[in-house]
């Protein structure tokens, strides 16, 4: 019986394992399935009998798309330029959940009440921007420049602000509970009425910051 189980297990392990890949657009999935001889599922998925990540990344670059394996814990985020965000905001849209704005330049703008929860904003420059009542719940904002921003009454619960520059930021009434503020620059920031419960402030610069009492 033991030999039968081992034989069956070895046979299963030797079978070619297929990879299911997800892309951030249906058109990209269709084109890349054709380019790499995969099976397009009619949506944004491609089944590959053999996954060559070098060829896959080359094809993804040509198609200007992102991808991940099915079941990966990091989702493929929508690509969004600063210009497109501003255009859509100007016509009344506020929901930009999961947007990919990595390295975006959004300085000295008015983006009050914008919803950027779970967005990717690492290395972005938002200095001087009005972000009152904005929602950054669980957003990745590490290494971003938020100096002189108005973040009053904003929601930054569980946001990743590792090494972010928040110097002179207005954070009055903001919710930073459970946020990661390791090595963040909060010098001269206005933290009156700010909720910092369970926030990680290890290594943060709080020199000159304003607090209640």
């Amino acid at each position: 019986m033991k030999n039968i189980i081992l034989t069956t297990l070895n046979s299963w392990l030797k079978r070619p394992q297929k990879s299911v890949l997800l892309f951030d657009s249906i058109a990209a999935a269709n084109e890349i399935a054709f380019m790499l001889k995969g099976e397009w599922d009619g949506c944004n998925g491609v089944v590959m009998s053999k996954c060559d990540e070098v060829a896959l990344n080359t094809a993804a670059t040509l198609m200007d798309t992102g991808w991940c394996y099915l079941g990966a814990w990091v989702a493929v985020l929508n690509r969004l330029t600063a210009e497109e965000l501003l255009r859509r905001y100007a016509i009344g849209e506020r929901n930009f959940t999961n947007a990919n704005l990595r390295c975006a330049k959004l300085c000295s703008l008015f983006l009050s009440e914008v919803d950027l929860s779970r967005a990717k904003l690492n290395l972005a420059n938002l200095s001087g921007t009005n972000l009152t009542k904005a929602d950054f719940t669980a957003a990745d904002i590490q290494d971003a420049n938020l100096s002189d921003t108005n973040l009053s009454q904003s929601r930054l619960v569980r946001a990743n602000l590792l090494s972010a520059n928040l110097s002179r930021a207005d954070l009055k009434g903001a919710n930073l509970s459970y946020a990661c503020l390791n090595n963040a620059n909060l010098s001269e920031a206005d933290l009156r009425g700010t909720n910092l419960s369970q926030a990680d402030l290890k290594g943060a610069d709080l020199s000159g910051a304003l607090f209640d009492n």
Side-chain angles (χ1 to χ4, degrees):
M1 181 67 179
K2 183 178 178 181
N3 289 335
I4 294 173
I5 293 172
L6 288 174
T7 301
T8 303
L9 180 61
N10 287 331
S11 175
W12 182 85
L13 289 173
K14 289 177 181 178
R15 289 168 56 193
Q17 301 298 306
K18 292 185 177 182
S19 298
V20 181
L21 312 172
L22 300 178
F23 295 85
D24 58 10
S25 78
I26 294 172
N30 186 12
E31 289 293 330
I32 289 176
F34 176 76
M35 291 164 66
L36 300 181
K37 299 181 180 178
E39 297 174 33
W40 179 46
D41 68 358
C43 192
N44 68 324
V46 175
V47 179
M48 304 282 291
S49 57
K50 182 183 289 187
C51 184
D52 182 341
E53 289 195 4
V54 174
L56 182 57
N57 286 328
T58 301
T61 300
L62 289 171
M63 293 299 302
D64 193 24
T65 189
W67 68 276
C68 70
Y69 289 103
L70 177 66
W73 71 274
V74 177
V76 176
L77 299 173
N78 299 322
R79 298 176 65 85
L80 183 65
T81 64
E83 292 76 15
E84 179 64 8
L85 181 147
L86 293 174
R87 184 191 69 78
R88 288 162 57 181
Y89 184 91
I91 61 176
E93 188 172 345
R94 296 293 180 268
N95 187 355
F96 299 96
T97 301
N98 285 324
N100 185 353
L101 286 159
R102 186 176 185 272
C103 299
K105 293 182 180 179
L106 295 164
C107 311
S108 304
L109 302 171
F110 183 87
L111 293 171
S112 179
E113 299 184 3
V114 68
D115 184 352
L116 288 163
S117 52
R118 294 181 292 280
K120 196 171 184 66
L121 287 154
N122 51 319
L123 298 169
N125 189 348
L126 292 142
S127 60
T129 291
N130 186 330
L131 294 160
T132 54
K133 299 181 181 179
D135 191 347
F136 290 96
T137 300
D140 181 1
I141 322 175
Q142 58 182 320
D143 296 303
N145 184 0
L146 293 155
S147 59
D148 299 295
T149 53
N150 186 346
L151 286 157
S152 59
Q153 300 181 63
S154 59
R155 183 174 176 81
L156 292 132
V157 178
R158 299 192 311 277
N160 182 1
L161 288 151
L162 175 70
S163 300
N165 181 3
L166 288 151
S167 58
R168 301 175 302 281
D170 183 349
L171 288 155
K172 290 193 299 291
N175 189 347
L176 281 154
S177 56
Y178 296 94
C180 174
L181 289 157
N182 289 172
N183 301 314
N185 182 358
L186 288 156
S187 60
E188 300 182 49
D190 192 338
L191 296 165
R192 289 174 292 182
T194 304
N195 183 353
L196 289 164
S197 62
Q198 304 300 317
D200 190 345
L201 289 154
K202 189 183 300 179
D205 182 357
L206 293 161
S207 58
L210 296 175
F211 294 93
D212 291 318
N213 304 317

